[in-house]
Amino acid sequence: MSEPLQSTPNPLRGRDDGAGPGAGLSAPFVKRGNVTGAAVSAFTASNAETLLSATDPVAQTLEEAQFDLGEGPRWDAVRTRLPVLIPDVRESAFLQWPAFGEVLARLEVGALFVFPLTVGAIDLGVVELHRTSPGSLSGSERLAVEVLAGETAWALLRWTLQDAQPGAPAIFPSVGDSNTGTGATPGTASAPAGLPNSRREIHQATGMVLAQADVSAAQALLLLRGHAFSHQQTLHQTALQVIRRELDFTPPDGTSPERPGLA
């Protein structure tokens, strides 16, 4: 197991200007893993799931599509706590995850590699890597990614513990590339424009649907996903409709709350 990173003297703080926090988290994975793009997501104390960093629009789309659909290799990695390596998405991804496979068909993606971010028994997030062409990670590339994943997991753990303190500011970790000295500069961000810094609207809408339909949080999220999929929307678009009171999941008398999109 890699050693924990030392605390960052001037941590990158959360921003709401669309640049996205933690922009330096995903970039080192591209160089060390010899991949085209990467995205890092965290499970935090204050948010159920948050996209922290993506190196490019394709990496962002892959992450968001899996979150919206509730299927894909990221969920297998979370469930098993083991890497999910797909050197050729055309051979297996469409059979294992049909809905996510439709998204892949529209993207220039040949290979996917997902690594869980864990410290001991604690699940902290995932890192998702992709290549435009099919091909496996070499032994040295996989080792480099696993070492960096361990360092990132420790950084996320420190952030989560800080984030859990009452009144603590939103402090996001910054992991540089120890081989080159590159990484996020404190106080700056370089993520693609429009990268969301949290999924608070989705979490808020999930809570509203939970109360409206009298279901569990997991079932409420499933209702949102079902409505989004059936109406060809993103999960975020559906969540905003709920928050704006344009969409209500309160079931009419005598009907099942499991039918999505009751208005």
Side-chain angles (χ1 to χ4, degrees), residues 1 21 27 43 54 67 73 77 97 118 127 137 141 150 154 156 166 185 196 205 213 221 225 227 233 242 251 259:
M1 180 180 295
F43 314 131
F67 180 82
W97 312 288
T118 62
V127 56
L137 292 174
E141 290 167 349
W154 277 104
L156 290 177
T185 302
L221 183 56
R225 282 180 170 143
H227 180 88
Q233 296 178 324
V242 173
R259 181 162 61 90

PDB file of all heavy atoms in Angstrom, residues 1 21 27 43 54 67 73 77 97 118 127 137 141 150 154 156 166 185 196 205 213 221 225 227 233 242 251 259:
ATOM      1  N   MET A   1       0.854  -1.198   0.000  1.00  0.00           N
ATOM      2  CA  MET A   1       0.000   0.000   0.000  1.00  0.00           C
ATOM      3  C   MET A   1       0.881   1.235   0.000  1.00  0.00           C
ATOM      4  O   MET A   1       1.877   1.300   0.704  1.00  0.00           O
ATOM      5  CB  MET A   1      -0.921   0.005   1.225  1.00  0.00           C
ATOM      6  CG  MET A   1      -1.846   1.230   1.290  1.00  0.00           C
ATOM      7  SD  MET A   1      -2.907   1.206   2.750  1.00  0.00           S
ATOM      8  CE  MET A   1      -3.914  -0.217   2.412  1.00  0.00           C
ATOM      9  N   PRO A  21     -13.958  21.809  -8.758  1.00  0.00           N
ATOM     10  CA  PRO A  21     -12.915  21.658  -7.762  1.00  0.00           C
ATOM     11  C   PRO A  21     -12.024  20.464  -8.057  1.00  0.00           C
ATOM     12  O   PRO A  21     -12.368  19.586  -8.826  1.00  0.00           O
ATOM     13  CB  PRO A  21     -13.717  21.425  -6.477  1.00  0.00           C
ATOM     14  CG  PRO A  21     -14.932  20.704  -6.962  1.00  0.00           C
ATOM     15  CD  PRO A  21     -15.240  21.272  -8.314  1.00  0.00           C
ATOM     16  N   ALA A  27      -5.731  14.488 -13.897  1.00  0.00           N
ATOM     17  CA  ALA A  27      -4.681  14.656 -14.904  1.00  0.00           C
ATOM     18  C   ALA A  27      -3.502  13.691 -14.735  1.00  0.00           C
ATOM     19  O   ALA A  27      -3.016  13.137 -15.733  1.00  0.00           O
ATOM     20  CB  ALA A  27      -4.195  16.102 -14.917  1.00  0.00           C
ATOM     21  N   PHE A  43     -17.167   9.683  -2.832  1.00  0.00           N
ATOM     22  CA  PHE A  43     -18.302   9.514  -1.938  1.00  0.00           C
ATOM     23  C   PHE A  43     -17.911  10.235  -0.659  1.00  0.00           C
ATOM     24  O   PHE A  43     -16.983   9.820   0.034  1.00  0.00           O
ATOM     25  CB  PHE A  43     -18.571   8.039  -1.661  1.00  0.00           C
ATOM     26  CG  PHE A  43     -18.559   7.183  -2.905  1.00  0.00           C
ATOM     27  CD1 PHE A  43     -17.833   6.009  -2.938  1.00  0.00           C
ATOM     28  CD2 PHE A  43     -19.253   7.563  -4.035  1.00  0.00           C
ATOM     29  CE1 PHE A  43     -17.818   5.215  -4.076  1.00  0.00           C
ATOM     30  CE2 PHE A  43     -19.244   6.792  -5.181  1.00  0.00           C
ATOM     31  CZ  PHE A  43     -18.522   5.607  -5.197  1.00  0.00           C
ATOM     32  N   ALA A  54     -12.526  15.843 -14.170  1.00  0.00           N
ATOM     33  CA  ALA A  54     -12.513  15.122 -15.437  1.00  0.00           C
ATOM     34  C   ALA A  54     -11.570  15.844 -16.379  1.00  0.00           C
ATOM     35  O   ALA A  54     -11.549  17.070 -16.427  1.00  0.00           O
ATOM     36  CB  ALA A  54     -13.913  15.049 -16.048  1.00  0.00           C
ATOM     37  N   PHE A  67     -23.622   7.300 -13.810  1.00  0.00           N
ATOM     38  CA  PHE A  67     -24.359   7.751 -12.633  1.00  0.00           C
ATOM     39  C   PHE A  67     -25.844   7.876 -12.959  1.00  0.00           C
ATOM     40  O   PHE A  67     -26.707   7.454 -12.184  1.00  0.00           O
ATOM     41  CB  PHE A  67     -23.814   9.093 -12.141  1.00  0.00           C
ATOM     42  CG  PHE A  67     -24.529   9.612 -10.924  1.00  0.00           C
ATOM     43  CD1 PHE A  67     -24.190   9.160  -9.657  1.00  0.00           C
ATOM     44  CD2 PHE A  67     -25.556  10.532 -11.039  1.00  0.00           C
ATOM     45  CE1 PHE A  67     -24.860   9.617  -8.528  1.00  0.00           C
ATOM     46  CE2 PHE A  67     -26.234  10.996  -9.921  1.00  0.00           C
ATOM     47  CZ  PHE A  67     -25.881  10.549  -8.668  1.00  0.00           C
ATOM     48  N   PRO A  73     -19.350  -0.161 -15.610  1.00  0.00           N
ATOM     49  CA  PRO A  73     -18.241  -0.748 -14.866  1.00  0.00           C
ATOM     50  C   PRO A  73     -17.937  -0.056 -13.550  1.00  0.00           C
ATOM     51  O   PRO A  73     -17.424  -0.687 -12.634  1.00  0.00           O
ATOM     52  CB  PRO A  73     -17.063  -0.622 -15.846  1.00  0.00           C
ATOM     53  CG  PRO A  73     -17.464   0.448 -16.813  1.00  0.00           C
ATOM     54  CD  PRO A  73     -18.947   0.320 -16.953  1.00  0.00           C
ATOM     55  N   ALA A  77     -17.095  -1.932  -9.969  1.00  0.00           N
ATOM     56  CA  ALA A  77     -15.891  -1.654  -9.187  1.00  0.00           C
ATOM     57  C   ALA A  77     -16.249  -1.264  -7.758  1.00  0.00           C
ATOM     58  O   ALA A  77     -15.577  -1.670  -6.802  1.00  0.00           O
ATOM     59  CB  ALA A  77     -15.075  -0.548  -9.856  1.00  0.00           C
ATOM     60  N   TRP A  97     -23.869  -4.137 -20.087  1.00  0.00           N
ATOM     61  CA  TRP A  97     -24.590  -2.918 -19.712  1.00  0.00           C
ATOM     62  C   TRP A  97     -25.242  -2.324 -20.956  1.00  0.00           C
ATOM     63  O   TRP A  97     -24.694  -1.398 -21.574  1.00  0.00           O
ATOM     64  CB  TRP A  97     -23.621  -1.923 -19.082  1.00  0.00           C
ATOM     65  CG  TRP A  97     -22.744  -2.527 -18.021  1.00  0.00           C
ATOM     66  CD1 TRP A  97     -23.119  -2.928 -16.769  1.00  0.00           C
ATOM     67  CD2 TRP A  97     -21.335  -2.808 -18.115  1.00  0.00           C
ATOM     68  NE1 TRP A  97     -22.052  -3.431 -16.087  1.00  0.00           N
ATOM     69  CE2 TRP A  97     -20.937  -3.376 -16.882  1.00  0.00           C
ATOM     70  CE3 TRP A  97     -20.374  -2.630 -19.111  1.00  0.00           C
ATOM     71  CZ2 TRP A  97     -19.631  -3.766 -16.630  1.00  0.00           C
ATOM     72  CZ3 TRP A  97     -19.071  -3.025 -18.873  1.00  0.00           C
ATOM     73  CH2 TRP A  97     -18.709  -3.585 -17.649  1.00  0.00           C
ATOM     74  N   THR A 118     -10.064   3.200  -2.250  1.00  0.00           N
ATOM     75  CA  THR A 118     -10.378   2.694  -0.919  1.00  0.00           C
ATOM     76  C   THR A 118      -9.183   2.870   0.011  1.00  0.00           C
ATOM     77  O   THR A 118      -8.034   2.893  -0.425  1.00  0.00           O
ATOM     78  CB  THR A 118     -10.749   1.197  -0.964  1.00  0.00           C
ATOM     79  OG1 THR A 118      -9.622   0.453  -1.447  1.00  0.00           O
ATOM     80  CG2 THR A 118     -11.932   0.947  -1.882  1.00  0.00           C
ATOM     81  N   VAL A 127     -11.932   6.000  -9.802  1.00  0.00           N
ATOM     82  CA  VAL A 127     -11.291   6.702 -10.907  1.00  0.00           C
ATOM     83  C   VAL A 127     -11.586   5.909 -12.172  1.00  0.00           C
ATOM     84  O   VAL A 127     -11.445   4.684 -12.195  1.00  0.00           O
ATOM     85  CB  VAL A 127      -9.769   6.881 -10.685  1.00  0.00           C
ATOM     86  CG1 VAL A 127      -9.079   5.545 -10.447  1.00  0.00           C
ATOM     87  CG2 VAL A 127      -9.141   7.597 -11.881  1.00  0.00           C
ATOM     88  N   LEU A 137      -3.999  -2.387 -20.290  1.00  0.00           N
ATOM     89  CA  LEU A 137      -2.949  -1.704 -19.542  1.00  0.00           C
ATOM     90  C   LEU A 137      -1.773  -2.669 -19.398  1.00  0.00           C
ATOM     91  O   LEU A 137      -1.963  -3.853 -19.100  1.00  0.00           O
ATOM     92  CB  LEU A 137      -3.444  -1.303 -18.150  1.00  0.00           C
ATOM     93  CG  LEU A 137      -4.510  -0.213 -18.049  1.00  0.00           C
ATOM     94  CD1 LEU A 137      -4.964  -0.075 -16.601  1.00  0.00           C
ATOM     95  CD2 LEU A 137      -4.001   1.121 -18.577  1.00  0.00           C
ATOM     96  N   GLU A 141       1.907   0.036 -16.302  1.00  0.00           N
ATOM     97  CA  GLU A 141       0.849   1.058 -16.311  1.00  0.00           C
ATOM     98  C   GLU A 141      -0.174   0.780 -15.220  1.00  0.00           C
ATOM     99  O   GLU A 141      -0.596   1.704 -14.509  1.00  0.00           O
ATOM    100  CB  GLU A 141       0.178   1.098 -17.683  1.00  0.00           C
ATOM    101  CG  GLU A 141       1.065   1.668 -18.781  1.00  0.00           C
ATOM    102  CD  GLU A 141       0.521   1.405 -20.175  1.00  0.00           C
ATOM    103  OE1 GLU A 141      -0.440   0.596 -20.316  1.00  0.00           O
ATOM    104  OE2 GLU A 141       1.056   1.992 -21.136  1.00  0.00           O
ATOM    105  N   GLY A 150      -4.060   4.793  -4.773  1.00  0.00           N
ATOM    106  CA  GLY A 150      -3.867   4.750  -3.328  1.00  0.00           C
ATOM    107  C   GLY A 150      -3.579   6.130  -2.756  1.00  0.00           C
ATOM    108  O   GLY A 150      -4.118   6.507  -1.708  1.00  0.00           O
ATOM    109  N   TRP A 154      -6.085   8.333  -0.117  1.00  0.00           N
ATOM    110  CA  TRP A 154      -5.672   8.957   1.146  1.00  0.00           C
ATOM    111  C   TRP A 154      -6.014  10.446   1.151  1.00  0.00           C
ATOM    112  O   TRP A 154      -6.460  10.992   2.167  1.00  0.00           O
ATOM    113  CB  TRP A 154      -4.177   8.757   1.373  1.00  0.00           C
ATOM    114  CG  TRP A 154      -3.832   7.435   1.975  1.00  0.00           C
ATOM    115  CD1 TRP A 154      -3.307   6.347   1.352  1.00  0.00           C
ATOM    116  CD2 TRP A 154      -4.004   7.052   3.346  1.00  0.00           C
ATOM    117  NE1 TRP A 154      -3.143   5.307   2.234  1.00  0.00           N
ATOM    118  CE2 TRP A 154      -3.562   5.713   3.466  1.00  0.00           C
ATOM    119  CE3 TRP A 154      -4.497   7.704   4.476  1.00  0.00           C
ATOM    120  CZ2 TRP A 154      -3.594   5.021   4.674  1.00  0.00           C
ATOM    121  CZ3 TRP A 154      -4.528   7.009   5.687  1.00  0.00           C
ATOM    122  CH2 TRP A 154      -4.076   5.695   5.775  1.00  0.00           C
ATOM    123  N   LEU A 156      -8.458  11.885  -0.483  1.00  0.00           N
ATOM    124  CA  LEU A 156      -9.904  11.991  -0.327  1.00  0.00           C
ATOM    125  C   LEU A 156     -10.338  11.700   1.099  1.00  0.00           C
ATOM    126  O   LEU A 156     -11.285  12.309   1.599  1.00  0.00           O
ATOM    127  CB  LEU A 156     -10.601  11.031  -1.290  1.00  0.00           C
ATOM    128  CG  LEU A 156     -10.520  11.372  -2.776  1.00  0.00           C
ATOM    129  CD1 LEU A 156     -11.197  10.291  -3.607  1.00  0.00           C
ATOM    130  CD2 LEU A 156     -11.138  12.724  -3.067  1.00  0.00           C
ATOM    131  N   PRO A 166     -18.090  20.204  11.705  1.00  0.00           N
ATOM    132  CA  PRO A 166     -19.094  21.270  11.669  1.00  0.00           C
ATOM    133  C   PRO A 166     -18.459  22.602  11.310  1.00  0.00           C
ATOM    134  O   PRO A 166     -17.453  23.012  11.881  1.00  0.00           O
ATOM    135  CB  PRO A 166     -19.648  21.288  13.103  1.00  0.00           C
ATOM    136  CG  PRO A 166     -19.353  19.918  13.639  1.00  0.00           C
ATOM    137  CD  PRO A 166     -18.064  19.504  13.001  1.00  0.00           C
ATOM    138  N   THR A 185      -2.362  23.674  -9.342  1.00  0.00           N
ATOM    139  CA  THR A 185      -1.756  24.771  -8.602  1.00  0.00           C
ATOM    140  C   THR A 185      -2.747  25.249  -7.565  1.00  0.00           C
ATOM    141  O   THR A 185      -3.906  25.504  -7.900  1.00  0.00           O
ATOM    142  CB  THR A 185      -1.415  25.931  -9.558  1.00  0.00           C
ATOM    143  OG1 THR A 185      -0.540  25.435 -10.557  1.00  0.00           O
ATOM    144  CG2 THR A 185      -0.771  27.075  -8.806  1.00  0.00           C
ATOM    145  N   PRO A 196     -19.630  19.961 -13.130  1.00  0.00           N
ATOM    146  CA  PRO A 196     -20.359  20.220 -11.892  1.00  0.00           C
ATOM    147  C   PRO A 196     -19.487  19.950 -10.682  1.00  0.00           C
ATOM    148  O   PRO A 196     -18.715  19.000 -10.664  1.00  0.00           O
ATOM    149  CB  PRO A 196     -21.523  19.217 -11.966  1.00  0.00           C
ATOM    150  CG  PRO A 196     -21.008  18.111 -12.821  1.00  0.00           C
ATOM    151  CD  PRO A 196     -20.076  18.751 -13.810  1.00  0.00           C
ATOM    152  N   ALA A 205     -33.364  16.574  -4.983  1.00  0.00           N
ATOM    153  CA  ALA A 205     -34.544  16.029  -5.643  1.00  0.00           C
ATOM    154  C   ALA A 205     -34.859  14.625  -5.128  1.00  0.00           C
ATOM    155  O   ALA A 205     -36.034  14.260  -4.969  1.00  0.00           O
ATOM    156  CB  ALA A 205     -34.332  15.995  -7.156  1.00  0.00           C
ATOM    157  N   ALA A 213     -43.268  10.170  -2.651  1.00  0.00           N
ATOM    158  CA  ALA A 213     -43.717   8.813  -2.980  1.00  0.00           C
ATOM    159  C   ALA A 213     -43.678   7.869  -1.791  1.00  0.00           C
ATOM    160  O   ALA A 213     -44.097   6.714  -1.912  1.00  0.00           O
ATOM    161  CB  ALA A 213     -42.858   8.250  -4.118  1.00  0.00           C
ATOM    162  N   LEU A 221     -34.218   7.464  -5.937  1.00  0.00           N
ATOM    163  CA  LEU A 221     -33.237   7.684  -7.000  1.00  0.00           C
ATOM    164  C   LEU A 221     -33.584   6.833  -8.217  1.00  0.00           C
ATOM    165  O   LEU A 221     -33.408   7.269  -9.362  1.00  0.00           O
ATOM    166  CB  LEU A 221     -31.831   7.355  -6.491  1.00  0.00           C
ATOM    167  CG  LEU A 221     -30.672   7.610  -7.456  1.00  0.00           C
ATOM    168  CD1 LEU A 221     -30.649   9.051  -7.935  1.00  0.00           C
ATOM    169  CD2 LEU A 221     -29.342   7.245  -6.795  1.00  0.00           C
ATOM    170  N   ARG A 225     -34.188   8.092 -12.030  1.00  0.00           N
ATOM    171  CA  ARG A 225     -33.463   7.520 -13.164  1.00  0.00           C
ATOM    172  C   ARG A 225     -34.430   6.972 -14.207  1.00  0.00           C
ATOM    173  O   ARG A 225     -34.222   7.125 -15.413  1.00  0.00           O
ATOM    174  CB  ARG A 225     -32.530   6.406 -12.677  1.00  0.00           C
ATOM    175  CG  ARG A 225     -31.256   6.922 -12.026  1.00  0.00           C
ATOM    176  CD  ARG A 225     -30.379   5.795 -11.557  1.00  0.00           C
ATOM    177  NE  ARG A 225     -29.060   6.283 -11.143  1.00  0.00           N
ATOM    178  CZ  ARG A 225     -28.373   5.813 -10.130  1.00  0.00           C
ATOM    179  NH1 ARG A 225     -28.858   4.824  -9.399  1.00  0.00           N
ATOM    180  NH2 ARG A 225     -27.184   6.303  -9.828  1.00  0.00           N
ATOM    181  N   HIS A 227     -37.514   7.935 -14.839  1.00  0.00           N
ATOM    182  CA  HIS A 227     -38.158   9.041 -15.561  1.00  0.00           C
ATOM    183  C   HIS A 227     -37.183   9.670 -16.547  1.00  0.00           C
ATOM    184  O   HIS A 227     -37.556   9.952 -17.697  1.00  0.00           O
ATOM    185  CB  HIS A 227     -38.647  10.096 -14.570  1.00  0.00           C
ATOM    186  CG  HIS A 227     -39.329  11.260 -15.232  1.00  0.00           C
ATOM    187  ND1 HIS A 227     -40.670  11.272 -15.510  1.00  0.00           N
ATOM    188  CD2 HIS A 227     -38.835  12.436 -15.694  1.00  0.00           C
ATOM    189  CE1 HIS A 227     -40.984  12.407 -16.108  1.00  0.00           C
ATOM    190  NE2 HIS A 227     -39.883  13.127 -16.226  1.00  0.00           N
ATOM    191  N   GLN A 233     -33.777  12.279 -20.918  1.00  0.00           N
ATOM    192  CA  GLN A 233     -33.195  13.409 -20.211  1.00  0.00           C
ATOM    193  C   GLN A 233     -31.998  12.932 -19.409  1.00  0.00           C
ATOM    194  O   GLN A 233     -31.830  11.730 -19.150  1.00  0.00           O
ATOM    195  CB  GLN A 233     -34.215  14.030 -19.238  1.00  0.00           C
ATOM    196  CG  GLN A 233     -35.435  14.648 -19.877  1.00  0.00           C
ATOM    197  CD  GLN A 233     -36.399  15.175 -18.823  1.00  0.00           C
ATOM    198  OE1 GLN A 233     -36.554  14.581 -17.754  1.00  0.00           O
ATOM    199  NE2 GLN A 233     -37.052  16.285 -19.108  1.00  0.00           N
ATOM    200  N   VAL A 242     -38.011  18.442 -10.661  1.00  0.00           N
ATOM    201  CA  VAL A 242     -38.587  18.146  -9.345  1.00  0.00           C
ATOM    202  C   VAL A 242     -38.411  19.340  -8.417  1.00  0.00           C
ATOM    203  O   VAL A 242     -39.360  19.761  -7.731  1.00  0.00           O
ATOM    204  CB  VAL A 242     -37.943  16.886  -8.739  1.00  0.00           C
ATOM    205  CG1 VAL A 242     -38.419  16.677  -7.300  1.00  0.00           C
ATOM    206  CG2 VAL A 242     -38.270  15.659  -9.578  1.00  0.00           C
ATOM    207  N   PRO A 251     -48.096   9.697  -5.713  1.00  0.00           N
ATOM    208  CA  PRO A 251     -49.019   8.818  -6.437  1.00  0.00           C
ATOM    209  C   PRO A 251     -50.474   9.178  -6.164  1.00  0.00           C
ATOM    210  O   PRO A 251     -50.831   9.536  -5.033  1.00  0.00           O
ATOM    211  CB  PRO A 251     -48.688   7.429  -5.888  1.00  0.00           C
ATOM    212  CG  PRO A 251     -48.174   7.693  -4.513  1.00  0.00           C
ATOM    213  CD  PRO A 251     -47.440   9.014  -4.588  1.00  0.00           C
ATOM    214  N   ARG A 259     -44.561   3.867 -10.171  1.00  0.00           N
ATOM    215  CA  ARG A 259     -44.652   4.315 -11.544  1.00  0.00           C
ATOM    216  C   ARG A 259     -44.016   5.696 -11.650  1.00  0.00           C
ATOM    217  O   ARG A 259     -44.466   6.647 -11.008  1.00  0.00           O
ATOM    218  CB  ARG A 259     -46.121   4.403 -11.996  1.00  0.00           C
ATOM    219  CG  ARG A 259     -46.286   4.852 -13.433  1.00  0.00           C
ATOM    220  CD  ARG A 259     -47.673   4.508 -13.953  1.00  0.00           C
ATOM    221  NE  ARG A 259     -48.735   5.148 -13.195  1.00  0.00           N
ATOM    222  CZ  ARG A 259     -49.222   6.350 -13.504  1.00  0.00           C
ATOM    223  NH1 ARG A 259     -48.706   7.044 -14.501  1.00  0.00           N
ATOM    224  NH2 ARG A 259     -50.194   6.856 -12.803  1.00  0.00           N
TER     225      ARG A 259
END
